[in-house]
Amino acid sequence: MAVQSDWHPTACILCECNCGIVVALQDRTITKIRGDKAHPASQGYTCNKALRLDHYQNNPNRLTAPLRRRDDGSYEEIDWETAISEIAERFTTVRDQHGGDKVFYYGGGGQGNHLGGAYSGAFLKAIGSRYRSNALAQEKTGEFWIDAQLYGGHTRGEFEHAEVSVFIGKNPWMSQSFPRARVVLNEIAKDPARSMIVIDPVRTDTAELADFHLRVRPGTDAWCLAALAAVLVQEDLCDEEFLAARVTGAAGVRAVLADVDVAAYATRCGVDETLIRGAARRIAAAASVSVFEDLGIQQAPNSTLCSYLNKLLWILTGNFAKRGTQHLHSSFAPLFSAGGVGRTPVTGAPIISGLVPSNVVPDEILTDHPERIRAMIVESSNPAHSVADSAHVRSALAALDLLVVIDVAMTETARLAHYVLPAASQFEKAEATFFNLEFPHNTFQLRRPVLDPLPGTLPEPEIWARLVRALGVVDEADLHPLRVAARAGLEAYTAAFFTAVSANPALGRILPFVLYDTLGPTLPAGLSGAAALWGLAQKTAMAYPEAVRRAGHADGNALFLAILDHPSGVTFTEHEYVDDVALISHADRRIALDIPEMLAETRALAAGRSPLTSTEFPLVLSAGERRAYTANDILRDPSWRKRDQDGALRISPEDADVAGVATGDLVRITTASGSAVATVEISDAMQCGHIALPNGFGVDHIGADGRAVAPGVAPNELTASQWRDEYAGTPWHKHVPARLERVVAASS
Ligand SMILES: Nc1nc2c(c(=O)[nH]1)N[C@H]1C(S)=C(S)[C@@H](COP(=O)(O)OP(=O)(O)OC[C@H]3O[C@@H](n4cnc5c(=O)[nH]c(N)nc54)[C@H](O)[C@@H]3O)O[C@H]1N2
Ligand SMILES: Nc1nc2c(c(=O)[nH]1)N[C@H]1C(S)=C(S)[C@@H](COP(=O)(O)OP(=O)(O)OC[C@H]3O[C@@H](n4cnc5c(=O)[nH]c(N)nc54)[C@H](O)[C@@H]3O)O[C@H]1N2
Ligand code: SF4
Ligand SMILES: [Mo]
């Protein structure tokens, strides 16, 4: 058995932090994993999950050949040439019969892989596809809509240096999401000069460390956040200098907040008024405040309003463009397009940042409407499991004329596809993510492959290139000068590239393909997939010339070379705090606070809202909590978990009494959409009336013995497509009315 003793730098792919790791291999097994101290963001940090990555790499459910569905629903293996030519032909038929805009694209990258999706655009544009979606459209689009109007960018807190850190519906101890999260949380908790404010109905591990735990009743954050902002206005705690210099529209906001009855709103959200006032005063008194909003409000009622209200907290107090505050960071590649709001062709749902809400995708298919979606490509996503109302999603996907899935494993979605294309794993190809969200230092890592592709699989850049070639849209004569230039070096390539693209706009439409096909072959072994990064490096250097130079890169080519040369990652921008102001995209470089719809919504809070629960469904189920052993749908083999094997339903002692259940018992959970059986875990972290199931469970796995298992509850068997935010269409997964019935008591 070959033993390779050296350590290979790569990254963890289980959450958006993508901590740098070094791995040791024995044959094709990842035998040892450590944090990579040379990684510029994570600096050696990992959480408990990184050690389990071999369960992703070596999984009996890995795909090893393209599959084609037979009429009886079973699959046959076919070779790549057949798969590519048939798929290209069938998409062409859909385009010719119904128009290329009926070809929908879902996914494009998960927690660890965005490089493959970066190549999809060439094929999609060539076929005429227009509409797309991914998981961001079931969490972040409400926030994006608010961000676009406030300052036209995405903000991140600098928790490492913040005097006060605020976490709203966010449990970073478990879900991480910023560099070295547990280290930073512990530092804050230990330092008497710093404070943590947590808004969460659950006493989470993060809330345990907090100075202020605002334990709202589920779904009432809008009142809590409005009350906090109102205290800032009513007690004269705003940063007047900042508002005068950097903000427009503050007067309208102040007028609305002046009318808020703080005591009544405190009652409404179930938080003590003095605690709310204390938290607001702490925010106002701090030299620096950073805020993180996440799924607890983004997937709950009033989600877009809550995104707006929480941003008022740091804007009214001037926590921007200073150390330890909120920042408009640079980006290496856009995670989403900055475009305005459009509407979907069938249901007229809002398209924010170019993304159709995940929840409406089934209804864009299951209709006689002439504009309906006819065909779909799913890349690196498992919507049949991760999108609301799985039964509805399954019927919709089954109704398509053509469904093609690109994945590493046989997923719930792949099982509905006409063709399944097996991708090389994230350790078998050049890979990267565009979760580059930090400020003042922003980092990017091009991961080198640590293994050859599993036989039968291909990296996505190659899959997309073959599909583009099969469409017959490329003229070799156009590419020839670029191939010659690439062999002469980056300077020659740069000149040839700009000449070719300005002379021939058709090349611009298939840009990622052009880069892959001409520059790719000249890159170091295994890195042809990095070709698109050359284009992104040029754009980055043009967008932030000073910050890129400060980070040590003279221009786009220098940045690209640094990326190729530093397998543990590079810092690509180094900003000064004042740069935040220049990153506001409004012409006057001011934050535009006045969003009329949101002010009207804030005013309407005074009238209260009737609860979404009922006598039939008296409990609020949060369907999809992040825990120590959950990682979306990335790890399908349940043996990766050291604890919580069944993904227990967490329930308060009071509710357990009512249901007559004890820890370890089975309960039936019923919602308007479905029903499932879960194992109970009584936890005094839960408040009465609130129950929680973890995410990432209920995915099936065929073990080495050929037996299929799917422990736990698939959360979206219980959620509903219509249950969503009216502005962004984001789902209310955290707030599903439910009831419980005892099934069988645990044997003692
Ligand atoms: N371990 C682990 N980490 C992950 C992931 C994973 O699968 N596992 N997934 C990654 C992904 S894709 C994402 S998007 C992030 C998500 O990260 P988080 O948003 O932190 O994750 P959740 O646990 O889903 O939800 C956060 C909190 O919302 C609270 N909550 C529920 N209802 C309400 C409410 O009405 N109001 C408020 N204020 N809070 C409420 C829950 O109690 C929970 O503590 O995590 C990332 N990190
Ligand atoms: N009820 C409920 N539903 C939820 C949530 C919730 O909290 N509750 N959370 C939502 C959130 S925040 C998110 S982010 C989504 C996530 O849901 P999805 O968008 O479905 O993403 P992942 O679960 O990350 O699944 C990624 C897929 O990529 C595949 N994959 C892994 N590596 C590669 C690769 O290199 N190439 C290719 N082609 N495929 C690869 C995996 O096998 C897996 O099938 O779920 C959402 N759904
Ligand atoms: S799961 Fe996230 S925080 Fe944990 S090691 Fe992986 S990337 Fe880092
Ligand atoms: Mo997510």
Side-chain angles (χ1 to χ4, degrees):
M1 193 181 277
V3 180
Q4 300 119 3
S5 59
D6 43 337
W7 293 90
H8 308 273
T10 176
C12 175
I13 60 158
L14 297 179
C15 87
E16 66 192 272
C17 289
N18 307 128
C19 298
I21 55 173
V22 289
V23 300
L25 301 164
Q26 201 164 340
D27 292 331
R28 293 189 65 89
T29 305
I30 301 175
T31 50
K32 287 187 207 143
I33 299 174
R34 286 186 197 149
D36 182 359
K37 294 201 174 70
H39 189 281
S42 60
Q43 301 167 27
Y45 174 90
T46 65
C47 76
N48 60 299
K49 296 188 290 298
L51 294 175
R52 316 298 288 165
L53 281 168
D54 193 58
H55 289 268
Y56 161 80
Q57 172 58 31
N58 288 300
N59 172 343
N61 292 0
R62 283 279 311 266
L63 297 161
T64 52
L67 302 176
R68 179 174 61 199
R69 196 165 75 206
R70 297 193 187 95
D71 289 339
D72 67 0
S74 64
Y75 284 92
E76 60 190 329
E77 296 192 353
I78 54 176
D79 60 56
W80 274 101
E81 288 70 38
T82 309
I84 295 290
S85 68
E86 289 188 10
I87 290 169
E89 194 185 309
R90 289 189 60 176
F91 277 119
T92 306
T93 305
V94 172
R95 179 194 59 196
D96 293 347
Q97 288 178 353
H98 306 293
D101 59 343
K102 311 305 179 306
V103 176
F104 196 90
Y105 178 53
Y106 195 95
Q111 299 294 298
N113 55 319
H114 297 161
L115 202 46
Y119 291 90
S120 63
F123 178 79
L124 295 170
K125 275 200 186 131
I127 204 86
S129 168
R130 270 183 68 194
Y131 299 104
R132 62 177 298 180
S133 185
N134 61 37
L136 292 171
Q138 58 168 331
E139 45 173 327
K140 301 281 175 274
T141 35
E143 182 182 16
F144 293 165
W145 186 73
I146 296 293
D147 280 346
Q149 297 178 76
L150 290 175
Y151 27 67
H154 181 259
T155 63
R156 246 323 165 73
E158 194 188 344
F159 300 94
E160 194 183 356
H161 298 130
E163 182 180 325
V164 172
S165 292
V166 188
F167 299 111
I168 307 168
K170 172 76 199 166
N171 179 12
W173 186 268
M174 280 306 169
S175 66
Q176 315 281 333
S177 302
F178 57 87
R180 301 164 52 249
R182 289 184 181 180
V183 174
V184 172
L185 293 172
N186 277 328
E187 281 168 5
I188 298 170
K190 274 195 214 122
D191 186 343
R194 300 170 74 187
S195 299
M196 197 191 303
I197 300 172
V198 170
I199 306 182
D200 199 308
V202 176
R203 208 172 61 242
T204 60
D205 296 88
T206 309
E208 295 272 10
L209 298 174
D211 303 272
F212 299 82
H213 179 194
L214 278 51
R215 203 174 178 191
V216 287
R217 267 199 287 278
T220 64
D221 296 81
W223 287 270
C224 183
L225 292 165
L228 284 165
V231 172
L232 297 174
V233 167
Q234 293 173 15
E235 296 190 7
D236 248 335
L237 301 174
C238 298
D239 182 338
E240 298 302 334
E241 219 175 289
F242 179 80
L243 292 178
R246 294 275 159 249
V247 177
T248 59
V253 174
R254 279 205 246 230
V256 172
L257 293 174
D259 289 340
V260 165
D261 180 343
V262 173
Y265 281 35
T267 307
R268 179 100 214 163
C269 66
V271 181
D272 191 43
E273 184 189 341
T274 52
L275 193 60
I276 290 184
R277 289 192 186 274
R281 289 172 192 150
R282 184 68 187 91
I283 288 172
S288 57
V289 179
S290 283
V291 182
F292 206 126
E293 64 160 277
D294 216 341
L295 303 185
I297 56 169
Q298 292 179 344
Q299 295 187 338
N302 305 306
S303 46
T304 300
L305 175 60
C306 287
S307 289
Y308 177 66
L309 291 172
N310 90 69
K311 287 165 200 293
L312 295 181
L313 301 179
W314 60 263
I315 297 171
L316 290 174
T317 52
N319 279 290
F320 181 67
K322 292 188 295 190
R323 182 177 150 98
T325 65
Q326 210 68 13
H327 302 298
L328 278 162
H329 54 82
S330 58
S331 67
F332 187 72
L335 269 179
F336 46 85
S337 69
V341 179
R343 295 272 157 191
T344 61
V346 174
T347 64
I351 299 176
I352 299 173
S353 304
L355 299 173
V356 170
S358 306
N359 276 48
V360 310
V361 171
D363 291 335
E364 297 283 325
I365 301 169
L366 288 173
T367 164
D368 291 334
H369 197 291
E371 298 297 309
R372 68 183 179 273
I373 300 170
R374 307 280 183 151
M376 193 184 292
I377 309 180
V378 176
E379 178 182 4
S380 194
S381 184
N382 186 13
H385 184 270
S386 62
V387 171
D389 196 347
S390 301
H392 192 43
V393 177
R394 283 192 295 266
S395 330
L397 296 181
L400 291 167
D401 295 352
L402 177 60
L403 174 62
V404 175
V405 169
I406 307 173
D407 205 298
V408 294
M410 197 65 189
T411 66
E412 286 70 15
T413 309
R415 254 184 230 109
L416 299 164
H418 298 93
Y419 294 88
V420 185
L421 298 179
S425 85
Q426 297 181 43
F427 300 111
E428 298 167 349
K429 63 194 173 203
E431 213 19 296
T433 70
F434 303 139
F435 289 131
N436 321 106
L437 312 171
E438 299 305 317
F439 186 100
H441 300 99
N442 208 351
T443 68
F444 179 83
Q445 183 185 15
L446 166 66
R447 287 132 52 189
R448 295 180 184 173
V450 301
L451 286 160
D452 291 333
L454 192 64
T457 68
L458 288 177
E460 288 84 347
E462 180 62 26
I463 297 176
W464 288 113
R466 290 185 186 196
L467 283 169
V468 169
R469 284 190 207 109
L471 290 179
V473 293
V474 187
D475 185 348
E476 176 55 33
D478 291 339
L479 299 181
H480 183 71
L482 288 172
R483 287 193 214 289
V484 174
R487 284 193 293 269
L490 280 185
E491 293 303 328
Y493 188 76
T494 311
F497 179 85
F498 287 107
T499 309
V501 172
S502 54
N504 185 355
L507 283 184
R509 278 199 292 278
I510 53 164
L511 216 63
F513 170 82
V514 172
L515 293 172
Y516 178 75
D517 208 50
T518 61
L519 182 61
T522 67
L523 297 177
L527 294 185
S528 55
L533 301 178
W534 175 84
L536 294 169
Q538 307 302 322
K539 272 174 114 176
T540 303
M542 281 186 250
Y544 323 101
E546 288 303 320
V548 168
R549 265 195 288 276
R550 246 182 250 120
H553 318 291
D555 58 15
N557 281 337
L559 175 57
F560 181 61
L561 288 174
I563 287 169
L564 292 178
D565 281 349
H566 291 80
S568 295
V570 296
T571 297
F572 69 91
T573 49
E574 198 176 313
H575 278 284
E576 288 173 351
Y577 287 112
V578 293
D579 293 354
D580 266 333
V581 175
L583 290 170
I584 298 175
S585 68
H586 302 319
D588 63 359
R589 302 283 173 255
R590 284 166 179 248
I591 298 175
L593 216 47
D594 190 342
I595 304 181
E597 297 95 323
M598 292 298 110
L599 291 181
E601 291 283 349
T602 309
R603 242 184 243 111
L605 289 174
R609 295 232 169 124
S610 25
L612 298 165
T613 49
S614 60
T615 43
E616 192 186 3
F617 300 116
L619 301 169
V620 172
L621 166 70
S622 285
E625 186 179 69
R626 271 65 185 165
R627 295 185 185 166
Y629 287 97
T630 70
N632 287 6
D633 290 359
I634 306 163
L635 297 173
R636 303 184 65 87
D637 175 356
S639 72
W640 84 276
R641 298 192 176 94
K642 292 196 167 169
R643 292 193 303 275
D644 198 21
Q645 308 277 354
D646 299 322
L649 176 85
R650 293 202 177 137
I651 175 171
S652 69
E654 298 87 339
D655 290 327
D657 267 356
V658 172
V661 290
T663 293
D665 284 357
L666 296 180
V667 277
R668 175 164 297 282
I669 311 161
T670 305
T671 67
S673 306
S675 166
V677 173
T679 308
V680 167
E681 179 190 323
I682 297 177
S683 161
D684 58 12
M686 299 304 295
Q687 54 174 278
C688 186
H690 186 206
I691 55 179
L693 280 171
N695 70 324
F697 275 82
V699 289
D700 48 39
H701 174 78
I702 298 162
D705 57 1
R707 272 186 348 122
V709 291
V713 176
N716 289 310
E717 299 294 337
L718 299 169
T719 57
S721 305
Q722 302 304 329
W723 207 240
R724 59 180 193 246
D725 182 78
E726 72 172 286
Y727 291 92
T730 42
W732 296 342
H733 290 325
K734 298 290 179 226
H735 204 94
V736 184
R739 69 164 179 269
L740 293 183
E741 281 125 1
R742 181 161 169 260
V743 178
V744 192
S747 51
S748 48

